[in-house]
Amino acid sequence: DIQMTQSPSSLSASVGDRVTITCRSSQPIKNYLNWYRQRPGKVPELLIYTISNLQIGVPSTFSGSGSGTDFTLTISSLQPEDFATYYCQQSYSSRITFGQGTRLDI
Amino acid sequence: EMQLVQSGGGLVQPGGSLRLSCEASGLTFSTYEMNWVRQAPGKGLEWISYISSSGDNIHYVDSVKGRFTISRDNAKNSLFLQMNSLRVEDTAVYYCVRQYYGLLTGYYFDKWGPGTLVTVSS
């Protein structure tokens, strides 16, 4: 299975900060990389698909980039609702895998 | 608006069985691939099973292969997960998830059910 490794595992920041989360795959996954946010006690929600495409309704403060095996999620200006856990996901393989998550705290 | 309504979770003893259901509304269910994703308490997301729109292509994560069976009834807009030989480590919230595919956009999970808690304990 393709392993997805996120860094950091946790991160402390403040409202208005710019943060970047990294995701690395154990083998090239082309552009089959997606990002999800899970607020505490809530269902995960899709933020970005295919590396850099924002899901409908997701604010432009979110952006994604990368290629090959290295990918990043950037939040340009943190809002209170952004304090959550973020997961990357590869859909290159039929056996889909997620990163272990990055918890973003105030 | 599309909805996924889940049912079937609960408390079961190790070695027992449970069947999860997920009923879809507000979409043409038969055209979508579906998945089950679980999340153990305080842990991350784990994909466990996939089924194609017609039901003829199925995948599982190794940890549930041979114990869990995914199926669907397109006439009833429903997805199922039959879980047998349950273990303590299967304790988790189980999500029914719609998979979207686009030629240029690839595969991603765009709609999640509310989740149902399965607790395996003696």
Side-chain angles (χ1 to χ4, degrees):
Chain A
D1 290 352
I2 298 174
Q3 305 301 315
M4 304 299 290
T5 304
Q6 291 181 231
S7 61
S9 294
S10 64
L11 176 61
S12 292
S14 301
V15 172
D17 283 355
R18 177 187 180 92
V19 299
T20 297
I21 298 169
T22 297
C23 178
R24 175 166 289 174
S25 57
S26 59
Q27 65 186 71
I29 56 171
K30 295 187 176 180
N31 61 345
Y32 294 96
L33 189 282
N34 309 310
W35 290 96
Y36 300 83
R37 173 177 64 186
Q38 186 177 31
R39 295 170 175 150
K42 301 298 185 183
V43 175
E45 55 183 332
L46 176 68
L47 292 176
I48 289 174
Y49 57 92
T50 326
I51 300 178
S52 60
N53 296 281
L54 263 60
Q55 173 68 337
I56 295 169
V58 175
S60 59
T61 52
F62 288 88
S63 63
S65 64
S67 64
T69 61
D70 294 296
F71 307 91
T72 59
L73 172 70
T74 299
I75 311 172
S76 61
S77 179
L78 280 171
Q79 300 304 303
E81 61 269 24
D82 298 332
F83 292 94
T85 300
Y86 292 83
Y87 296 93
C88 63
Q89 176 208 43
Q90 66 79 19
S91 56
Y92 176 79
S93 165
S94 58
R95 294 159 64 89
I96 286 172
T97 47
F98 291 90
Q100 81 279 14
T102 295
R103 178 174 169 172
L104 180 51
D105 293 323
I106 298 175
Chain B
E1 184 182 338
M2 197 217 97
Q3 279 196 318
L4 297 171
V5 177
Q6 297 187 228
S7 59
L11 174 64
V12 62
Q13 292 187 336
S17 297
L18 214 52
R19 190 189 197 211
L20 305 184
S21 298
C22 172
E23 185 171 351
S25 62
L27 77 159
T28 309
F29 179 72
S30 62
T31 64
Y32 287 98
E33 300 158 287
M34 299 294 294
N35 295 265
W36 289 98
V37 173
R38 69 182 178 184
Q39 186 170 35
K43 302 297 184 182
L45 301 172
E46 180 184 32
W47 168 84
I48 58 170
S49 188
Y50 157 91
I51 187 167
S52 62
S53 56
S54 63
D56 61 357
N57 193 15
I58 286 172
H59 302 291
Y60 299 99
V61 70
D62 284 348
S63 60
V64 308
K65 201 175 292 185
R67 301 188 299 122
F68 290 11
T69 302
I70 191 172
S71 62
R72 65 190 297 160
D73 184 340
N74 286 340
K76 296 183 177 179
N77 292 336
S78 293
L79 175 72
F80 306 101
L81 186 68
Q82 177 67 42
M83 303 185 294
N84 298 331
S85 303
L86 281 161
R87 305 168 179 166
V88 171
E89 55 266 33
D90 293 320
T91 295
V93 173
Y94 285 73
Y95 295 102
C96 158
V97 187
R98 184 179 83 171
Q99 178 168 308
Y100 181 88
Y101 171 72
L103 188 60
L104 299 178
T105 59
Y107 300 91
Y108 51 86
F109 294 170
D110 68 333
K111 298 293 184 186
W112 296 64
T116 188
L117 178 62
V118 171
T119 303
V120 185
S121 174
S122 55

